[in-house]
Amino acid sequence: MEKKDLIEKINKIKREKNAVILAHVYQRPEIYNVADFIGDSYGLSKKATETEAEIIVFCGVDFMAESAYILNPEKTVLIPTKLASCPMAAMVDVNSLRKLKAQHPNAAIVSYVNTTAAVKAESDICCTSANAIKVVNSIPEEEIIFVPDSNLANYVMTHTDKKIIPWNGWCYVHNKFSSEELVKTKKLHPDAKILVHPECIPEVVDLADEVLSTTGMINYVRQNSVKKFIIATEIGVIEKLLLEFPEKIFFQAPPGGTCLQMKKITLELVFASLEKKQFRVVVPENIRVRAKKALDRMLNVA
Ligand code: 13P
Ligand code: SF4
């Protein structure tokens, strides 16, 4: 079937079933055509609390869909494929986290939303790349166990006086951006602004003009008169920027990077998801209630 026809069919069935499609910026651009909202992890969590639709089809990775369910247990939350699973979210488990907490009983646990529901349930508060610094500085504890991204933890450390105990997780996409290559690219384009996602290594973050979440990058480009940008994040952001700002020039920082898990979702799978109501995302109630507290607390801070 032609893409255009499939897009029409999805938009029709979506209306018939009173469904909404929430999509992360890293999705394939074809998904943008059927999305009701495209955003970063923070924007998507907020949007999930605001929708009146009965069904949420979540075009993103597993932890994002889980968060949508945690916040909306009365709704049907669907993810088009079970293969869209963030490897970084799997890098921290409850037992190891409890062991670390036992060694630091006075520390608060701040978990990046890139975690399982079970880990969120162990946490005092969640954060996203858009609000991590604000969240850490908003809580009373002076000692903080920060899971799972060590790069985001390092970035937060440079913006707080609190003691941060980082977990040793990382994102395979962002960890690869190299400071040497970024310096070379900047030499070729001295008039370009460097925008960096805080999941990048500290040496890359140090070279940034701005450190921003995915939506933060798009807003920054919208509000800035500069024409050229070097962007250190997943390719989806560059694809979205090219669509929105065809008059501007964007380079992905070398060696580039694609989140294979985000790209597992296709228009065909979105249609099947709506037609067959698959695959339902559910979190056991005892975990959901505790995880919701950590998410709600974040949403109340920022
Ligand atoms: P954002 O918070 O910018 O959406 O990033 C989420 C993510 O998974 C980055 O790799
Ligand atoms: Fe996870 Fe990295 Fe993909 Fe984001 S880009 S979803 S952190 S693997």
Side-chain angles (χ1 to χ4, degrees), residues 248-260:
K248 299 202 180 198
I249 297 166
F250 304 101
F251 305 98
Q252 193 183 23
T258 300
C259 177
L260 300 177

Side-chain angles (χ1 to χ4, degrees), residues 87-145:
M88 175 157 71
M91 288 179 183
V92 52
D93 63 280
V94 170
N95 284 342
S96 319
L97 181 56
R98 282 186 183 161
K99 278 190 198 145
L100 185 62
K101 170 77 180 177
Q103 289 164 24
H104 304 277
N106 297 324
I109 299 177
V110 176
S111 69
Y112 192 26
V113 285
N114 300 42
T115 43
T116 60
V119 164
K120 287 186 180 75
E122 298 290 311
S123 309
D124 294 279
I125 187 165
C126 292
C127 72
T128 73
S129 64
N131 61 20
I133 294 166
K134 206 165 173 189
V135 163
V136 163
N137 286 327
S138 76
I139 57 175
E141 290 85 350
E142 287 300 320
E143 207 182 353
I144 283 149
I145 295 171

Side-chain angles (χ1 to χ4, degrees), residues 24-26 39-44 61 63-64 86 88 112-114 127-131 149 152 171 173-174 197-199 212-217 233-234 237 259 262:
H24 190 269
V25 188
Y26 294 165
D40 63 1
S41 316
Y42 177 71
L44 289 164
V61 282
F63 71 82
M64 298 178 178
C86 169
M88 175 157 71
Y112 192 26
V113 285
N114 300 42
C127 72
T128 73
S129 64
N131 61 20
D149 187 13
L152 183 60
C171 161
V173 179
H174 289 86
H197 195 279
E199 286 178 15
L212 297 161
S213 76
T214 51
T215 293
M217 289 179 177
T233 194
E234 206 269 346
V237 168
C259 177
M262 283 278 186

Side-chain angles (χ1 to χ4, degrees), residues 9-296:
K9 275 181 76 171
I10 292 170
N11 285 328
K12 183 162 173 277
I13 193 171
K14 194 172 72 170
R15 281 193 299 276
E16 286 164 5
K17 300 215 172 183
N18 189 17
V20 73
I21 297 180
L22 304 184
H24 190 269
V25 188
Y26 294 165
Q27 288 294 288
R28 294 165 183 268
E30 65 186 35
I31 301 295
Y32 301 158
N33 295 305
V34 295
D36 296 283
F37 178 79
I38 304 164
D40 63 1
S41 316
Y42 177 71
L44 289 164
S45 309
K46 267 207 100 78
K47 212 66 194 173
T49 62
E50 291 162 8
T51 178
E52 292 191 344
E54 282 166 56
I55 299 174
I56 298 174
V57 179
F58 209 104
C59 295
V61 282
D62 49 1
F63 71 82
M64 298 178 178
E66 266 187 3
S67 296
Y69 174 80
I70 290 166
L71 296 165
N72 292 286
E74 74 290 352
K75 295 197 193 295
T76 301
V77 177
L78 305 172
I79 188 159
T81 168
K82 291 181 181 172
L83 296 175
S85 183
C86 169
M88 175 157 71
M91 288 179 183
V92 52
D93 63 280
V94 170
N95 284 342
S96 319
L97 181 56
R98 282 186 183 161
K99 278 190 198 145
L100 185 62
K101 170 77 180 177
Q103 289 164 24
H104 304 277
N106 297 324
I109 299 177
V110 176
S111 69
Y112 192 26
V113 285
N114 300 42
T115 43
T116 60
V119 164
K120 287 186 180 75
E122 298 290 311
S123 309
D124 294 279
I125 187 165
C126 292
C127 72
T128 73
S129 64
N131 61 20
I133 294 166
K134 206 165 173 189
V135 163
V136 163
N137 286 327
S138 76
I139 57 175
E141 290 85 350
E142 287 300 320
E143 207 182 353
I144 283 149
I145 295 171
F146 192 97
V147 297
D149 187 13
S150 55
N151 289 325
L152 183 60
N154 267 307
Y155 173 60
V156 170
M157 259 183 238
T158 61
H159 289 81
T160 185
D161 295 331
K162 300 191 180 202
K163 182 181 175 199
I164 307 283
I165 303 154
W167 199 261
N168 189 24
W170 72 92
C171 161
Y172 76 96
V173 179
H174 289 86
N175 225 44
K176 276 193 316 205
F177 291 112
S178 121
S179 54
E180 290 82 8
E181 294 298 318
L182 191 50
V183 168
K184 283 189 208 159
T185 312
K186 177 74 180 177
K187 275 200 184 127
L188 290 174
H189 307 284
D191 50 340
K193 284 249 187 229
I194 300 178
L195 309 186
V196 171
H197 195 279
E199 286 178 15
C200 293
I201 59 171
E203 295 80 355
V204 168
V205 169
D206 284 347
L207 295 169
D209 289 301
E210 299 291 336
V211 181
L212 297 161
S213 76
T214 51
T215 293
M217 289 179 177
I218 293 164
N219 290 340
Y220 185 83
V221 169
R222 182 175 298 121
Q223 287 153 16
N224 206 286
S225 58
V226 171
K227 277 246 162 346
K228 261 192 208 174
F229 296 88
I230 303 165
I231 313 250
T233 194
E234 206 269 346
I235 189 70
V237 168
I238 288 93
E239 287 171 328
K240 182 85 175 69
L241 286 167
L242 284 168
L243 287 171
E244 253 190 72
F245 309 100
E247 73 287 4
K248 299 202 180 198
I249 297 166
F250 304 101
F251 305 98
Q252 193 183 23
T258 300
C259 177
L260 300 177
Q261 290 70 24
M262 283 278 186
K263 310 301 185 204
K264 296 280 180 206
I265 296 175
T266 60
L267 285 174
E268 286 78 4
L269 290 174
V270 173
F271 182 70
S273 176
L274 279 159
E275 193 180 38
K276 300 179 190 158
K277 276 205 177 176
Q278 66 187 22
F279 296 91
R280 245 186 130 127
V281 178
V282 182
V283 174
E285 194 57 11
N286 61 328
I287 293 176
R288 187 193 71 78
V289 171
R290 288 160 55 225
K292 184 170 185 296
K293 274 194 193 151
L295 277 172
D296 279 343

